[in-house]
Structure formats: C-alpha cells, structure tokens
Amino acid sequence: MASTSWSAALLLIAAGCSASVGSIGAVLGRDNESEALYVRDVPPGLAAERAGLIPGDEVLMIDGVYVRDLSSAEVRDRLRGDVGSAVELTVVRGRDVRRVRVVRGALKALEGIKPREERILP
C-alpha cells in the first residue's frame, strides 16, 4: 500500500440498499497505478467484520476472478448480491493469503446513499 495515487473509497457498504440486495459491508479503496483493491474500513456489525476482514487487507480475487482485471463498476457488481448469499474473497494480509467467505447483509439504514468513486491525486 505504498503508492500515493488512490481512488477514494468505494462505498460498498451502501451498495444496493434495498430489502433484497445486500453488500459485504466494507469500504474499499483502489490504487490507481497498480489497480490493487484494499479494505479501507470495516464498520462494526456489518458482514465484513463478521467475516474477519480488517483494514489493510488486499483483495486479490472475488469468486475466483482477479480484481485487477475488473473495473470499479464490475467490482461493485460482483460484491452485491441477495441478502444472505455469499461471496468468496481471496485476501492478502501481511504474508498470508487466505480465502474469506462473506455472507452479504442488508443495509436498510443506509438507503439513499449511493456507491461513489473519487480520484485522490498525490
């Protein structure tokens, strides 16, 4: 995470806030140069926290697809899904690579908030 050019957090905690569409409940950021995807924040009580994700984790794959091959919109689409459905993330933490199964949760309290992407320049 040494790079200084980041797109701001993708607000995936708010992705698809309806009764049937769920989210992993994490705020992610993407490095503009390497296209690496990192967990920026894990709000308490949401799916990402329950699955054990922590800030600083690098997400390599979503359901077996490399995130560096995906646009930000494609990342959001892959992380959204029916409430109660699961997504498998391949995550790097330090020197460890692990698979994390995240069961998507509802985000009714965040209705009206849309995922966003911003560029943060060095």
PDB file of all heavy atoms in Angstrom, residues 1-2 4 6 15 20 34 43 45 75 78 85 87 89 93 95 98 100 102-103 106-107 112:
ATOM      1  N   MET A   1       0.810  -1.185   0.000  1.00  0.00           N
ATOM      2  CA  MET A   1       0.000   0.000   0.000  1.00  0.00           C
ATOM      3  C   MET A   1       0.859   1.258   0.000  1.00  0.00           C
ATOM      4  O   MET A   1       0.463   2.277   0.506  1.00  0.00           O
ATOM      5  CB  MET A   1      -0.915   0.018   1.220  1.00  0.00           C
ATOM      6  CG  MET A   1      -2.090  -0.870   1.049  1.00  0.00           C
ATOM      7  SD  MET A   1      -3.465  -0.679   2.220  1.00  0.00           S
ATOM      8  CE  MET A   1      -2.842   0.254   3.554  1.00  0.00           C
ATOM      9  N   ALA A   2       2.022   1.206  -0.582  1.00  0.00           N
ATOM     10  CA  ALA A   2       2.926   2.336  -0.554  1.00  0.00           C
ATOM     11  C   ALA A   2       2.596   3.407  -1.587  1.00  0.00           C
ATOM     12  O   ALA A   2       3.081   4.514  -1.501  1.00  0.00           O
ATOM     13  CB  ALA A   2       4.351   1.840  -0.768  1.00  0.00           C
ATOM     14  N   THR A   4       0.947   6.399  -3.701  1.00  0.00           N
ATOM     15  CA  THR A   4       0.262   7.603  -3.239  1.00  0.00           C
ATOM     16  C   THR A   4      -0.920   7.989  -4.116  1.00  0.00           C
ATOM     17  O   THR A   4      -1.620   8.920  -3.812  1.00  0.00           O
ATOM     18  CB  THR A   4       1.234   8.801  -3.195  1.00  0.00           C
ATOM     19  OG1 THR A   4       1.797   8.963  -4.486  1.00  0.00           O
ATOM     20  CG2 THR A   4       2.299   8.580  -2.157  1.00  0.00           C
ATOM     21  N   TRP A   6      -4.422   7.139  -5.191  1.00  0.00           N
ATOM     22  CA  TRP A   6      -5.552   6.285  -4.831  1.00  0.00           C
ATOM     23  C   TRP A   6      -6.836   6.824  -5.386  1.00  0.00           C
ATOM     24  O   TRP A   6      -7.036   8.008  -5.473  1.00  0.00           O
ATOM     25  CB  TRP A   6      -5.722   6.275  -3.297  1.00  0.00           C
ATOM     26  CG  TRP A   6      -4.774   5.400  -2.617  1.00  0.00           C
ATOM     27  CD1 TRP A   6      -3.492   5.703  -2.284  1.00  0.00           C
ATOM     28  CD2 TRP A   6      -4.988   4.079  -2.166  1.00  0.00           C
ATOM     29  NE1 TRP A   6      -2.914   4.657  -1.651  1.00  0.00           N
ATOM     30  CE2 TRP A   6      -3.820   3.646  -1.562  1.00  0.00           C
ATOM     31  CE3 TRP A   6      -6.080   3.224  -2.210  1.00  0.00           C
ATOM     32  CZ2 TRP A   6      -3.697   2.391  -1.018  1.00  0.00           C
ATOM     33  CZ3 TRP A   6      -5.942   1.981  -1.657  1.00  0.00           C
ATOM     34  CH2 TRP A   6      -4.760   1.573  -1.071  1.00  0.00           C
ATOM     35  N   ALA A  15     -23.791  -0.364  -1.137  1.00  0.00           N
ATOM     36  CA  ALA A  15     -24.103  -0.901  -2.455  1.00  0.00           C
ATOM     37  C   ALA A  15     -25.448  -1.595  -2.474  1.00  0.00           C
ATOM     38  O   ALA A  15     -25.654  -2.563  -1.772  1.00  0.00           O
ATOM     39  CB  ALA A  15     -23.013  -1.874  -2.892  1.00  0.00           C
ATOM     40  N   SER A  20     -33.729  -6.689  -0.790  1.00  0.00           N
ATOM     41  CA  SER A  20     -33.239  -7.947  -1.327  1.00  0.00           C
ATOM     42  C   SER A  20     -31.789  -7.904  -1.774  1.00  0.00           C
ATOM     43  O   SER A  20     -31.193  -8.944  -1.975  1.00  0.00           O
ATOM     44  CB  SER A  20     -34.120  -8.385  -2.488  1.00  0.00           C
ATOM     45  OG  SER A  20     -34.026  -7.449  -3.542  1.00  0.00           O
ATOM     46  N   SER A  34      -1.565   0.501  -9.660  1.00  0.00           N
ATOM     47  CA  SER A  34      -1.476  -0.960  -9.690  1.00  0.00           C
ATOM     48  C   SER A  34      -2.828  -1.645  -9.850  1.00  0.00           C
ATOM     49  O   SER A  34      -2.876  -2.836 -10.118  1.00  0.00           O
ATOM     50  CB  SER A  34      -0.814  -1.468  -8.405  1.00  0.00           C
ATOM     51  OG  SER A  34      -1.684  -1.271  -7.295  1.00  0.00           O
ATOM     52  N   PRO A  43     -16.863  -1.193   9.010  1.00  0.00           N
ATOM     53  CA  PRO A  43     -17.786  -0.697  10.026  1.00  0.00           C
ATOM     54  C   PRO A  43     -18.278  -1.834  10.925  1.00  0.00           C
ATOM     55  O   PRO A  43     -18.544  -2.939  10.455  1.00  0.00           O
ATOM     56  CB  PRO A  43     -18.938  -0.109   9.211  1.00  0.00           C
ATOM     57  CG  PRO A  43     -18.321   0.222   7.883  1.00  0.00           C
ATOM     58  CD  PRO A  43     -17.304  -0.858   7.659  1.00  0.00           C
ATOM     59  N   GLY A  45     -20.339  -4.426  13.055  1.00  0.00           N
ATOM     60  CA  GLY A  45     -21.636  -5.066  12.947  1.00  0.00           C
ATOM     61  C   GLY A  45     -22.055  -5.464  11.546  1.00  0.00           C
ATOM     62  O   GLY A  45     -23.103  -6.073  11.378  1.00  0.00           O
ATOM     63  N   VAL A  75     -16.377  -4.563  -9.982  1.00  0.00           N
ATOM     64  CA  VAL A  75     -16.107  -4.955  -8.600  1.00  0.00           C
ATOM     65  C   VAL A  75     -17.377  -4.801  -7.780  1.00  0.00           C
ATOM     66  O   VAL A  75     -17.782  -5.723  -7.062  1.00  0.00           O
ATOM     67  CB  VAL A  75     -14.945  -4.127  -7.996  1.00  0.00           C
ATOM     68  CG1 VAL A  75     -14.866  -4.314  -6.483  1.00  0.00           C
ATOM     69  CG2 VAL A  75     -13.622  -4.482  -8.656  1.00  0.00           C
ATOM     70  N   ARG A  78     -19.940  -7.486  -8.561  1.00  0.00           N
ATOM     71  CA  ARG A  78     -19.587  -8.809  -8.031  1.00  0.00           C
ATOM     72  C   ARG A  78     -19.759  -8.882  -6.515  1.00  0.00           C
ATOM     73  O   ARG A  78     -19.994  -9.953  -5.971  1.00  0.00           O
ATOM     74  CB  ARG A  78     -18.164  -9.182  -8.414  1.00  0.00           C
ATOM     75  CG  ARG A  78     -18.036  -9.521  -9.874  1.00  0.00           C
ATOM     76  CD  ARG A  78     -16.643 -10.010 -10.232  1.00  0.00           C
ATOM     77  NE  ARG A  78     -16.609 -10.407 -11.617  1.00  0.00           N
ATOM     78  CZ  ARG A  78     -16.968 -11.598 -12.075  1.00  0.00           C
ATOM     79  NH1 ARG A  78     -17.389 -12.516 -11.246  1.00  0.00           N
ATOM     80  NH2 ARG A  78     -16.905 -11.872 -13.356  1.00  0.00           N
ATOM     81  N   SER A  85     -26.751 -14.337   0.615  1.00  0.00           N
ATOM     82  CA  SER A  85     -25.881 -15.074  -0.304  1.00  0.00           C
ATOM     83  C   SER A  85     -24.436 -14.782   0.068  1.00  0.00           C
ATOM     84  O   SER A  85     -24.143 -13.817   0.775  1.00  0.00           O
ATOM     85  CB  SER A  85     -26.161 -14.675  -1.753  1.00  0.00           C
ATOM     86  OG  SER A  85     -25.809 -13.316  -1.978  1.00  0.00           O
ATOM     87  N   VAL A  87     -20.145 -14.499  -0.939  1.00  0.00           N
ATOM     88  CA  VAL A  87     -19.119 -14.224  -1.928  1.00  0.00           C
ATOM     89  C   VAL A  87     -17.790 -14.658  -1.308  1.00  0.00           C
ATOM     90  O   VAL A  87     -17.592 -14.514  -0.103  1.00  0.00           O
ATOM     91  CB  VAL A  87     -19.107 -12.723  -2.333  1.00  0.00           C
ATOM     92  CG1 VAL A  87     -18.829 -11.815  -1.162  1.00  0.00           C
ATOM     93  CG2 VAL A  87     -18.138 -12.469  -3.467  1.00  0.00           C
ATOM     94  N   LEU A  89     -13.826 -14.125  -1.148  1.00  0.00           N
ATOM     95  CA  LEU A  89     -12.729 -13.207  -1.448  1.00  0.00           C
ATOM     96  C   LEU A  89     -11.404 -13.902  -1.170  1.00  0.00           C
ATOM     97  O   LEU A  89     -11.272 -14.609  -0.162  1.00  0.00           O
ATOM     98  CB  LEU A  89     -12.827 -11.960  -0.574  1.00  0.00           C
ATOM     99  CG  LEU A  89     -14.145 -11.196  -0.602  1.00  0.00           C
ATOM    100  CD1 LEU A  89     -14.084 -10.006   0.346  1.00  0.00           C
ATOM    101  CD2 LEU A  89     -14.487 -10.757  -2.007  1.00  0.00           C
ATOM    102  N   ARG A  93      -3.053 -10.683   3.622  1.00  0.00           N
ATOM    103  CA  ARG A  93      -2.847  -9.968   4.883  1.00  0.00           C
ATOM    104  C   ARG A  93      -1.412 -10.256   5.313  1.00  0.00           C
ATOM    105  O   ARG A  93      -1.092 -11.362   5.690  1.00  0.00           O
ATOM    106  CB  ARG A  93      -3.825 -10.431   5.947  1.00  0.00           C
ATOM    107  CG  ARG A  93      -3.671  -9.690   7.264  1.00  0.00           C
ATOM    108  CD  ARG A  93      -4.656 -10.156   8.302  1.00  0.00           C
ATOM    109  NE  ARG A  93      -6.029  -9.913   7.841  1.00  0.00           N
ATOM    110  CZ  ARG A  93      -7.090 -10.534   8.355  1.00  0.00           C
ATOM    111  NH1 ARG A  93      -6.961 -11.412   9.319  1.00  0.00           N
ATOM    112  NH2 ARG A  93      -8.297 -10.253   7.886  1.00  0.00           N
ATOM    113  N   ARG A  95       1.921 -11.506   4.966  1.00  0.00           N
ATOM    114  CA  ARG A  95       2.482 -12.533   4.070  1.00  0.00           C
ATOM    115  C   ARG A  95       1.529 -13.695   3.831  1.00  0.00           C
ATOM    116  O   ARG A  95       1.859 -14.633   3.137  1.00  0.00           O
ATOM    117  CB  ARG A  95       3.790 -13.058   4.647  1.00  0.00           C
ATOM    118  CG  ARG A  95       4.858 -12.011   4.672  1.00  0.00           C
ATOM    119  CD  ARG A  95       6.121 -12.562   5.247  1.00  0.00           C
ATOM    120  NE  ARG A  95       7.112 -11.517   5.282  1.00  0.00           N
ATOM    121  CZ  ARG A  95       8.344 -11.692   4.904  1.00  0.00           C
ATOM    122  NH1 ARG A  95       8.760 -12.853   4.492  1.00  0.00           N
ATOM    123  NH2 ARG A  95       9.197 -10.684   4.969  1.00  0.00           N
ATOM    124  N   ARG A  98      -5.383 -15.750   2.167  1.00  0.00           N
ATOM    125  CA  ARG A  98      -6.488 -16.517   2.737  1.00  0.00           C
ATOM    126  C   ARG A  98      -7.748 -16.314   1.923  1.00  0.00           C
ATOM    127  O   ARG A  98      -7.899 -15.304   1.256  1.00  0.00           O
ATOM    128  CB  ARG A  98      -6.716 -16.138   4.194  1.00  0.00           C
ATOM    129  CG  ARG A  98      -6.952 -14.657   4.398  1.00  0.00           C
ATOM    130  CD  ARG A  98      -7.050 -14.261   5.854  1.00  0.00           C
ATOM    131  NE  ARG A  98      -5.739 -14.297   6.455  1.00  0.00           N
ATOM    132  CZ  ARG A  98      -5.514 -14.334   7.737  1.00  0.00           C
ATOM    133  NH1 ARG A  98      -6.501 -14.322   8.580  1.00  0.00           N
ATOM    134  NH2 ARG A  98      -4.296 -14.375   8.208  1.00  0.00           N
ATOM    135  N   VAL A 100     -11.735 -15.827   2.244  1.00  0.00           N
ATOM    136  CA  VAL A 100     -12.702 -15.349   3.223  1.00  0.00           C
ATOM    137  C   VAL A 100     -14.084 -15.409   2.594  1.00  0.00           C
ATOM    138  O   VAL A 100     -14.316 -14.834   1.531  1.00  0.00           O
ATOM    139  CB  VAL A 100     -12.370 -13.893   3.655  1.00  0.00           C
ATOM    140  CG1 VAL A 100     -13.401 -13.382   4.634  1.00  0.00           C
ATOM    141  CG2 VAL A 100     -10.962 -13.795   4.228  1.00  0.00           C
ATOM    142  N   VAL A 102     -17.776 -14.228   2.744  1.00  0.00           N
ATOM    143  CA  VAL A 102     -18.561 -13.139   3.323  1.00  0.00           C
ATOM    144  C   VAL A 102     -20.025 -13.344   2.940  1.00  0.00           C
ATOM    145  O   VAL A 102     -20.345 -13.455   1.751  1.00  0.00           O
ATOM    146  CB  VAL A 102     -18.079 -11.758   2.827  1.00  0.00           C
ATOM    147  CG1 VAL A 102     -18.869 -10.641   3.498  1.00  0.00           C
ATOM    148  CG2 VAL A 102     -16.580 -11.581   3.053  1.00  0.00           C
ATOM    149  N   VAL A 103     -20.886 -13.403   3.936  1.00  0.00           N
ATOM    150  CA  VAL A 103     -22.325 -13.522   3.695  1.00  0.00           C
ATOM    151  C   VAL A 103     -22.886 -12.103   3.641  1.00  0.00           C
ATOM    152  O   VAL A 103     -22.788 -11.346   4.612  1.00  0.00           O
ATOM    153  CB  VAL A 103     -23.015 -14.347   4.804  1.00  0.00           C
ATOM    154  CG1 VAL A 103     -24.516 -14.397   4.568  1.00  0.00           C
ATOM    155  CG2 VAL A 103     -22.414 -15.750   4.859  1.00  0.00           C
ATOM    156  N   ALA A 106     -28.033  -7.006   4.652  1.00  0.00           N
ATOM    157  CA  ALA A 106     -28.890  -5.888   4.265  1.00  0.00           C
ATOM    158  C   ALA A 106     -28.352  -4.598   4.861  1.00  0.00           C
ATOM    159  O   ALA A 106     -27.738  -4.597   5.919  1.00  0.00           O
ATOM    160  CB  ALA A 106     -30.311  -6.134   4.755  1.00  0.00           C
ATOM    161  N   LEU A 107     -28.621  -3.513   4.176  1.00  0.00           N
ATOM    162  CA  LEU A 107     -28.135  -2.209   4.628  1.00  0.00           C
ATOM    163  C   LEU A 107     -29.260  -1.192   4.622  1.00  0.00           C
ATOM    164  O   LEU A 107     -29.117  -0.089   4.133  1.00  0.00           O
ATOM    165  CB  LEU A 107     -26.996  -1.756   3.711  1.00  0.00           C
ATOM    166  CG  LEU A 107     -25.794  -2.694   3.735  1.00  0.00           C
ATOM    167  CD1 LEU A 107     -24.886  -2.417   2.580  1.00  0.00           C
ATOM    168  CD2 LEU A 107     -25.071  -2.554   5.042  1.00  0.00           C
ATOM    169  N   GLY A 112     -30.579   5.490   0.216  1.00  0.00           N
ATOM    170  CA  GLY A 112     -30.369   6.811  -0.362  1.00  0.00           C
ATOM    171  C   GLY A 112     -28.906   7.143  -0.580  1.00  0.00           C
ATOM    172  O   GLY A 112     -28.578   8.077  -1.287  1.00  0.00           O
TER     173      GLY A 112
END
